Amino acid sequence: ISGVLISQVIPGFGAAEANLRGTDPRASLLGDIITQVDGEAVETFRELRLVLDRYSPGDEVEVTTWRDGETETKTVVLR
C-alpha cells in the first residue's frame, strides 16, 4: 500500500478526534496509512504537506486511510 504512515497522534488534535491511529512500537502496532486527502492521493510526507498547506486551521478535510487491510475515510478538522 502506498501512503504516509502516521507515527504519532496527539490527543486533542484533529487526528485524535477522528480516531486515527498512530504507531505504537511497544505493542508492535503500525499506525494508519494516509492514502488520500480530499480525494488526492498522497504517497510521501512531502506530498501530504503540499496538500495540507492549501488549508487553514479549522478547515475540514476528508482523510482516507488504510488500517488492517481496510480503507476508511474520515473527516478531520485541522488545528
Side-chain angles (χ1 to χ4, degrees), residues 1-4 33-52 54-55 62-65:
I1 196 86
S2 294
V4 179
I33 298 173
I34 298 171
T35 59
Q36 294 183 2
V37 176
D38 276 348
E40 187 169 341
V42 292
E43 295 185 4
T44 66
F45 183 75
R46 182 177 187 279
E47 290 176 352
L48 177 62
R49 283 289 353 144
L50 288 172
V51 171
L52 292 177
R54 298 181 203 149
Y55 299 92
E62 296 295 313
V63 176
T64 303
T65 59

Side-chain angles (χ1 to χ4, degrees), residues 12-77:
F13 282 79
E17 292 173 356
N19 294 315
L20 297 181
R21 182 173 76 192
T23 298
D24 184 351
R26 291 169 289 167
S28 297
L29 185 65
L30 286 178
D32 294 336
I33 298 173
I34 298 171
T35 59
Q36 294 183 2
V37 176
D38 276 348
E40 187 169 341
V42 292
E43 295 185 4
T44 66
F45 183 75
R46 182 177 187 279
E47 290 176 352
L48 177 62
R49 283 289 353 144
L50 288 172
V51 171
L52 292 177
D53 283 346
R54 298 181 203 149
Y55 299 92
S56 299
D59 288 347
E60 293 183 354
V61 294
E62 296 295 313
V63 176
T64 303
T65 59
W66 184 88
R67 179 195 297 182
D68 301 328
E70 306 234 350
T71 300
E72 188 171 16
T73 300
K74 297 181 179 182
T75 301
V76 176
V77 179

